[in-house]
Amino acid sequence: MGFSKDFLWGGATAANQCEGGFEQGGRGLANVDVIPIGSDRRSIITGKKKMYNFEEGYYYPAKEAIDMYHHFKEDIALFGEMGFKTYRLSIAWSRIFPKGDELEPNEEGLKFYEDLFKECHKYGIEPLVTITHFDCPMHLIEQYGGWRNRELIGFYKRLCRVLFTRYKGLVKYWLTFNEINMILHAPFLGAGICFEEGENEEQVKYQAAHHELVASAEATKIAHEIDPENKVGCMLAAASYYPYSCRPEDVWEAKKKDRGNYFFIDVQSKGAYPAYALKELARNNISIDMMPEDIEILKNHTVDFISFSYYASRVAAAEDSNVEKTAGNLFPTIKNPYLQASQWGWQIDPLGLRITMNDLYDRYQKPLFIVENGLGAIDIPDESGYVEDDYRIEYLSAHIQAMKDAVDEDGVDILGYTSWGCIDLVSAGTGEMKKRYGFIYVDRENYGEGTLKRTKKKSFNWYKKVIETNGEDLSNQ
Ligand code: BG6
């Protein structure tokens, strides 16, 4: 048994967290550029505080990030050395359409990704491309209000058509929106939305989510028309909720919270708003402006596979004001007393990955793709930059083992696994560099100090061996 021989092992990054070169090659300004590190970050990514340009006294880590814009050949060579079969990366929308609403794309931006994809193929690496990973041109935000505006669907379709046409034969795996459910928790980051005083935020978020869902179905349609070989996936910030206790009210709360996430994938994979969501929206007086053609497009253009990120499981309780909380991916959760946590408080739960995979596969019966998983930790390099990251190897091997169990023991169908931040990059949640996920250490600190030198960590050779043995040898030797 074990993984199929074409299992796609690899790593994942996002343009805004590694590329840098924010003003180069004709690229326009994007939401991700103007999100600083520091205490205001949270209120900015959640759309509570407006920051539409660089301001004095702040540091903006995405402007240069790890400068992959200039280092991509060196970085992809290292991925090739590890034996990657796939590399997940995202397109910076404002590199292709600097303002977002132009009729013609920016050739320099298109050429940049073409060179990058060709570089991948030199090493037999299949690109897995996220069309938007927390990324929206600033002009679309200032002029149109981001994804709250239906017009964004048209601009996104234009972007997709250009990408699918230009990269036909170079890219076959596409993801429409990174962690689409994060629009509810980080609306400026996920959808370029800032709230106006007194407006109904839930209404705005669900209307914007509807636009993204329609855009995602449109993208799937165009991708299949342009090249029937294209495979399109949705992408969910996943992790099943555990009830805090066996009290039926806690179990019910966990189910409701799961549905809050599944809602997006239910639409993208099953092709319609589920009954529970229609009821919930009506109960909350949220009315979605939906065109008759939306229903058709959602129904007829569902995704080919289900991709997701998984870092930690979550806990739900009917009454949670007196229970201890801990941090999680972009929003906190209840602390699970049975689990250890990372240095950032994210709870470590490999079995939770197997549970999540089973939940998703039972529900959708489509191949899964784990496109993010990993441990954000403080690495202490020696003088040469080498890091002995046994803690990371321990985390990853336990999660890969759980994924293997889901395949071998439960029969879950899975296309591949790309560990998050295969090279150190800027954290989306905190903007820090010191929260590192990589197999490759990058000499770069929180406020831009460092030489950008790349050095292999201990986990580099470990992951190389995992790939070489197709996941059979997970030992740390
Ligand atoms: C996911 C995102 O939310 O988690 C990534 O898709 C992000 O962009 C990753 O980096 C890990 O989160 P963080 O906050 O540790 O960077």
Side-chain angles (χ1 to χ4, degrees):
M1 286 274 278
F3 299 107
S4 74
K5 62 174 188 359
D6 7 322
F7 189 79
L8 292 165
W9 293 101
T13 62
N16 76 85
Q17 292 168 258
C18 67
E19 218 172 71
F22 82 107
E23 278 183 314
Q24 281 165 305
R27 183 183 177 284
L29 195 68
N31 59 339
V32 286
D33 299 328
V34 296
I35 303 177
I37 186 173
S39 54
D40 286 340
R41 187 173 178 92
R42 179 132 201 99
S43 51
I44 294 168
I45 65 177
T46 52
K48 307 276 186 212
K49 180 179 164 69
K50 229 178 232 182
M51 191 172 281
Y52 282 2
N53 216 324
F54 303 119
E55 288 182 18
E56 203 57 44
Y58 289 95
Y59 178 76
Y60 298 92
K63 284 167 84 172
E64 278 134 22
I66 58 159
D67 194 26
M68 206 190 245
Y69 189 67
H70 295 105
H71 290 74
F72 74 89
K73 291 196 174 161
E74 175 188 350
D75 296 341
I76 291 170
L78 288 166
F79 301 158
E81 192 182 329
M82 267 187 281
F84 278 20
K85 312 283 183 223
T86 189
Y87 167 42
R88 174 180 176 227
L89 68 144
S90 76
I91 301 282
W93 188 344
S94 64
R95 224 178 252 303
I96 310 297
F97 287 100
K99 290 166 76 183
D101 60 358
E102 300 92 334
L103 295 176
E104 295 303 323
N106 168 35
E107 173 54 31
E108 231 179 313
L110 284 171
K111 178 78 171 59
F112 169 70
Y113 292 109
E114 183 181 327
D115 291 347
L116 197 154
F117 298 146
K118 286 185 173 156
E119 201 63 25
C120 288
H121 285 290
K122 260 181 34 194
Y123 299 93
I125 298 173
E126 186 70 52
L128 162 61
V129 177
T130 319
I131 297 166
T132 49
H133 188 127
F134 297 156
D135 167 281
C136 185
M138 261 331 283
H139 173 75
L140 295 185
I141 296 172
E142 291 185 282
Q143 202 64 34
Y144 301 88
W147 279 96
R148 66 166 72 220
N149 190 326
R150 192 176 171 93
E151 284 200 65
L152 271 269
I153 300 175
F155 303 135
Y156 181 86
K157 276 171 69 179
R158 192 177 301 150
L159 170 72
C160 289
R161 194 171 288 285
V162 164
L163 299 179
F164 301 150
T165 308
R166 175 69 172 247
Y167 304 129
K168 186 171 174 178
L170 281 175
V171 179
K172 150 164 127 203
Y173 292 99
W174 301 92
L175 307 180
T176 53
F177 288 89
N178 180 61
E179 294 188 336
I180 190 163
N181 49 327
M182 285 305 189
I183 193 173
L184 301 179
H185 307 285
F188 184 67
L189 186 66
I193 290 171
C194 269
F195 297 108
E196 301 305 330
E197 190 81 21
E199 74 179 331
N200 180 342
E201 297 187 3
E202 294 303 299
Q203 169 72 42
V204 173
K205 287 193 280 188
Y206 277 98
Q207 185 63 54
H210 177 72
H211 296 149
E212 289 196 351
L213 290 167
V214 171
S216 174
E218 293 273 14
T220 310
K221 175 174 185 269
I222 302 169
H224 291 152
E225 275 166 11
I226 292 180
D227 187 352
E229 291 289 296
N230 275 331
K231 299 270 176 251
V232 184
C234 52
M235 199 306 199
L236 176 76
S240 299
Y241 272 93
Y242 299 153
Y244 185 63
S245 77
C246 54
R247 273 180 71 216
E249 288 80 2
D250 286 348
V251 177
W252 182 237
E253 187 60 26
K255 187 171 183 66
K256 284 201 294 190
K257 288 243 158 58
D258 273 338
R259 280 176 163 178
N261 289 321
Y262 290 147
F263 156 67
F264 294 86
I265 312 303
D266 283 349
V267 178
Q268 288 174 296
S269 180
K270 296 179 175 181
Y273 275 53
Y276 69 80
L278 293 172
K279 290 283 185 192
E280 179 75 7
L281 291 169
R283 221 175 356 256
N284 294 321
N285 292 321
I286 297 172
S287 79
I288 304 289
D289 219 342
M290 210 182 285
M291 303 289 182
E293 63 266 28
D294 294 355
I295 296 170
E296 279 306 294
I297 192 99
L298 292 175
K299 180 163 156 242
N300 295 325
H301 301 284
T302 55
V303 289
D304 301 310
F305 64 93
I306 313 290
S307 89
F308 65 98
S309 60
Y310 175 87
Y311 293 91
S313 53
R314 302 162 177 152
V315 178
E319 176 42 66
D320 69 358
S321 49
N322 287 323
V323 286
E324 201 184 337
K325 311 283 183 335
T326 187
N329 188 5
L330 286 174
F331 58 91
T333 182
I334 293 171
K335 196 168 160 46
N336 184 331
Y338 302 101
L339 299 176
Q340 301 286 312
S342 78
Q343 287 157 318
W344 272 262
W346 297 21
Q347 305 182 98
I348 300 175
D349 182 10
L351 182 55
L353 173 60
R354 180 173 172 185
I355 294 169
T356 301
M357 289 175 71
N358 275 274
D359 286 348
L360 290 171
Y361 194 61
D362 286 353
R363 195 172 180 105
Y364 301 113
Q365 294 288 302
K366 287 189 184 183
L368 305 183
F369 205 141
I370 300 176
V371 297
E372 286 186 32
N373 171 238
L375 179 74
I378 297 173
D379 288 337
I380 306 192
D382 66 15
E383 320 72 67
S384 67
Y386 180 74
V387 178
E388 203 143 341
D389 53 347
D390 294 296
Y391 38 91
R392 183 165 294 110
I393 294 174
E394 194 187 323
Y395 175 100
L396 291 171
S397 61
H399 284 76
I400 293 173
Q401 182 59 52
M403 165 172 77
K404 218 166 153 188
D405 293 341
V407 173
D408 283 349
E409 308 294 328
D410 312 326
V412 171
D413 183 9
I414 178 157
L415 295 168
Y417 172 90
T418 60
S419 89
W420 175 250
C422 45
I423 179 165
D424 291 347
L425 38 63
V426 176
S427 156
T430 68
E432 292 164 299
M433 264 310 299
K434 76 166 185 202
K435 189 180 188 192
R436 297 173 185 273
Y437 287 86
F439 303 116
I440 301 161
Y441 185 82
V442 180
D443 180 22
R444 179 86 171 173
E445 301 300 330
N446 282 354
Y447 289 87
E449 315 86 344
T451 61
L452 291 171
K453 179 171 167 248
R454 277 69 166 146
T455 309
K456 300 173 200 171
K457 301 181 195 175
K458 184 175 180 187
S459 55
F460 184 99
N461 282 323
W462 170 81
Y463 196 47
K464 182 170 187 239
K465 180 191 64 185
V466 170
I467 298 176
E468 246 163 34
T469 62
N470 203 19
E472 283 309 308
D473 187 354
L474 301 177
S475 64
N476 178 14
Q477 286 150 6

